[in-house]
Amino acid sequence: MSPYAAPVRDHAGNLRDYLLAAGKATPDKPAIVEPAEDGGLRFVSYRQLEAQADAYAAELDALGLDVGDRVVLESPATADAVAAFLACFSLGLPFIPTIPETPVQRLRTIIGMAAPALFLQAADGSREGLPPGLGMARFGPKGVTTEQLPAPRVRRRRQVVETDPAYLIFTSGTTGRPKGVVMSHRANIAFHRGIRAHGLIGPDDRVAVTSPFSFDFCLGGIALTLASGATAVPVPRDRLDFPRRFLAFLHEAAITQVHGVPSLWRPLIRHEPDLVAGLDPLRSILFSGEDFPLGDLRELQGLLPGRRIFNLYGATESMAASVTDVPDPLPADLERLTIGYAHHGAEMDVYDAEGAPVGEPGVVGEIYLRSPALFSGYWADPEATRAALVPDPLLPESGQVVFRTGDLAYRDADGRLYFCGRIDSQVQIRGNRVELGEVERRLREFPGVSGAVALVAPAGEGEPELSAFLTMRPGAPAPKLVPLRAFCAETLPEYMAPRSLTVLAELPVTTNGKIDKDALLRARTAR
Ligand SMILES: Nc1ncnc2c1ncn2[C@@H]1O[C@H](COS(=O)(=O)NC(=O)C[C@H](N)c2ccccc2)[C@@H](O)[C@H]1O
């Protein structure tokens, strides 16, 4: 018999309580708004969301899982999915958010690594092909229905502790093997406290969240909204696929703030500028995940004058590290956005390859993040954890660890940081370090170019080759390689002029909406 019948639910420092606290004051206000079955909108109040989360928690509790048992939570971003993850928070069941589109092979890899007790999918989910022995259940408006009980286990834990894992996000690590970022309740709450001090979201905001449920930008956007007592509007994929449908949905749901990666805006700016300009209720835009090309940003500011645009920089390992207002208007000669300073309660600085602080402004080094919001480690991967969470270079004796972000940046004289790409995307061509962002900036200046990516194809037979991938404005003729090289050679050293050119209808993006560089390289070799 287990020492404890059921864990104590005092919720001290538990994300479930932290995220529902603001809504207590307005229980009948919508917490989540989403498309309804009948075509209108479904409003779920804070009272209903909390009741559904607690009902789910009671049904999940009956399965006898122990604090720390993992739950794969597979669903699009919906109100029911939010209630499900709040239930997991309250029971101390670290959940792994996945989406129906996740290829079953990747899901099986994650299941192999995380050994979850339960696979919990939306009522209408259709996931097949999972390994036997896994508990199987579904959640929906009518509660949780169990199809296969999880393997029986002894409950060894008495209560959820705030340093317990709250969720695991598996990122496709650059080395191919996924890494499971373990985020604790305490760290995530520290992130929310640090970011909320910037007042991004007010209680009257209606926040459209456009990232997939498996991406922590989605969890972060929903959580920041709930913690502000505002209304979160997770945008279903079928509303994102066509610009006009997406923009119509923003009107229908009276959206005041849109969260999304920069690539979300490219097709909207290009194909429906007038509809973007017509988004009267929109008050602010929040982006993250990758650089926002300055040309696109200028066009967005032109279409939506007076709106605040927030640049959130950061990695899943601390959810996000900084929030910075994009200057409005963007100075004409601006070459790079700043990612500012770390959010309240955290600190970012630039360190050299030996781990010593880079003192001089303008010198590029690696960003190290000192923060209470840091992840606990990579799941079952002590080696990757040791490489990322290193002794604080300024106080190694203290036991404090800091996060090596793998991002390059320099500081200006005031200490503001300027992101310069990933360390592993630093490229050398004929012994010269190439700043791909510089090449892309020049490519975007070529007449008619609407999007540009510069990559170095791995050195196959000869030396590594600098490749350009362009998208053109509607009606603009595609350039030829020779004039494009000449155009680049006017302002860049010869080795930074691309040696190959591929013009595409649009730039491919990953599941998380970031530019998919592997897909571009495949497009190149397929030419
Ligand atoms: N604003 C940026 N400019 C430029 N490069 C960037 C930027 N934000 C990230 N990145 C890049 O993306 C990497 C992190 O990628 S990630 O782990 O998938 N996380 C994210 O992209 C989103 C992030 N976890 C998050 C979650 C919730 C709210 C906001 C942000 C960073 O290390 C940077 O290389």
Side-chain angles (χ1 to χ4, degrees):
M1 187 49 192
S2 71
Y4 306 112
V8 168
R9 302 253 182 287
D10 68 3
H11 293 159
N14 189 288
L15 267 163
R16 172 219 177 278
D17 289 78
Y18 181 81
L19 297 182
L20 291 176
K24 293 273 189 211
T26 55
D28 296 317
K29 178 176 179 178
I32 311 278
V33 169
E34 61 187 12
E37 302 291 319
D38 63 11
L41 291 174
R42 176 187 180 213
F43 294 76
V44 180
S45 71
Y46 275 92
R47 186 197 313 270
Q48 290 167 321
L49 180 65
E50 180 164 1
Q52 188 173 6
D54 290 348
Y56 282 3
E59 291 177 293
L60 287 173
D61 194 23
L63 298 180
L65 301 183
D66 200 3
V67 172
D69 286 338
R70 278 75 63 204
V71 173
V72 176
L73 181 52
E74 177 164 292
S75 173
T78 62
D80 291 348
V82 175
F85 76 61
L86 291 171
C88 289
F89 284 157
S90 66
L91 295 172
L93 303 176
F95 69 90
I96 301 164
T98 62
I99 52 177
E101 294 82 0
T102 301
V104 71
Q105 193 39 50
R106 176 172 165 81
L107 185 54
R108 292 175 75 99
T109 302
I110 290 172
I111 290 171
M113 290 174 68
L118 181 68
F119 183 84
L120 181 59
Q121 63 180 315
D124 58 359
S126 57
R127 180 61 74 177
E128 303 287 336
L130 295 185
L134 195 52
M136 299 292 287
R138 289 169 188 271
F139 65 92
K142 297 183 178 52
V144 174
T145 53
T146 303
E147 293 148 328
Q148 179 163 304
L149 282 171
R153 68 215 48 233
V154 173
R155 267 176 161 161
R156 299 162 302 176
R157 290 286 306 270
R158 181 168 181 278
Q159 70 180 56
V160 187
V161 168
E162 62 183 282
T163 47
D164 278 325
Y167 60 81
L168 275 63
I169 298 257
F170 279 84
T171 62
S172 39
T174 40
T175 56
R177 171 182 149 87
K179 291 190 296 192
V181 176
V182 180
M183 186 56 78
S184 68
H185 291 265
R186 182 167 69 174
N188 203 244
I189 289 172
F191 157 75
H192 284 290
R193 287 212 176 91
I195 288 283
R196 277 182 72 190
H198 289 271
L200 297 177
I201 300 174
D204 300 332
D205 270 314
R206 274 270 179 99
V207 179
V209 173
T210 62
S211 293
F213 185 59
S214 48
F215 186 18
D216 71 333
F217 193 4
C218 176
L219 293 181
I222 291 170
L224 284 167
T225 304
L226 296 180
S228 307
T231 301
V233 183
V235 182
R237 269 177 67 96
D238 67 2
R239 292 301 197 290
L240 284 170
D241 290 343
F242 302 98
R244 296 175 82 87
R245 283 194 78 188
F246 174 58
L247 294 161
F249 181 70
L250 295 182
H251 274 290
E252 185 189 351
I255 296 301
T256 62
Q257 182 174 103
V258 174
H259 289 198
V261 292
S263 298
L264 170 82
W265 292 100
R266 202 174 11 257
L268 304 179
I269 295 167
R270 190 181 321 156
H271 297 299
E272 303 295 349
D274 298 344
L275 292 180
V276 172
L279 290 171
D280 303 333
L282 189 66
R283 290 205 289 263
S284 53
I285 287 166
L286 186 152
F287 76 86
S288 183
E290 58 187 357
D291 274 328
F292 204 133
L294 297 181
D296 293 348
L297 213 38
R298 276 196 183 85
E299 289 198 48
L300 192 55
Q301 286 186 324
L303 293 173
L304 292 166
R307 271 63 167 212
R308 292 183 72 184
I309 302 180
F310 304 115
N311 175 6
L312 256 70
Y313 157 80
T316 301
E317 285 85 343
S318 78
M319 192 159 255
S322 71
V323 53
T324 318
D325 262 281
V326 170
D328 181 11
L330 282 172
D333 60 347
L334 188 75
E335 295 220 339
R336 198 187 295 275
L337 288 176
T338 177
I339 53 173
Y341 304 93
H343 60 66
H344 291 239
E347 187 181 43
M348 287 192 288
D349 214 332
V350 177
Y351 288 77
D352 66 19
E354 287 68 48
V358 170
E360 316 76 63
V363 174
V364 174
E366 181 176 5
I367 300 176
Y368 283 28
L369 170 63
R370 186 176 287 108
S371 167
L374 291 183
F375 70 127
S376 307
Y378 296 115
W379 180 267
D381 195 343
E383 192 184 324
T385 303
R386 252 193 316 279
L389 291 173
V390 299
D392 179 348
L394 306 185
L395 211 58
E397 305 84 354
S398 70
Q400 167 160 240
V401 288
V402 299
F403 174 49
R404 290 190 60 171
T405 62
D407 286 332
L408 293 172
Y410 61 82
R411 292 164 65 249
D412 66 14
D414 302 325
R416 283 187 191 79
L417 294 181
Y418 293 77
F419 174 77
C420 299
R422 298 279 306 166
I423 284 186
D424 45 32
S425 73
Q426 285 314 299
V427 291
Q428 305 273 334
I429 295 199
R430 297 202 291 281
N432 308 283
R433 197 168 70 77
V434 170
E435 169 62 58
L436 293 170
E438 218 174 321
V439 180
E440 292 169 353
R441 241 192 315 281
R442 183 59 180 161
L443 290 170
R444 286 189 201 108
E445 289 168 355
F446 193 88
V449 169
S450 64
V453 175
L455 288 176
V456 169
E461 55 297 339
E463 66 191 12
E465 180 183 80
L466 184 59
S467 301
F469 301 86
L470 303 182
T471 56
M472 307 305 290
R473 292 189 174 296
K480 294 274 180 279
L481 179 58
V482 171
L484 186 73
R485 279 176 53 78
F487 181 79
C488 291
E490 282 167 26
T491 64
L492 299 172
E494 192 279 334
Y495 62 83
M496 287 173 77
R499 291 220 172 246
S500 87
L501 164 63
T502 306
V503 179
L504 299 162
E506 59 186 23
L507 295 172
V509 293
T510 64
T511 313
N512 288 350
K514 301 187 186 187
I515 287 181
D516 188 343
K517 300 188 172 174
D518 295 339
L520 285 172
L521 286 173
R522 286 196 299 274
R524 170 188 167 279
T525 44
R527 235 180 6 160

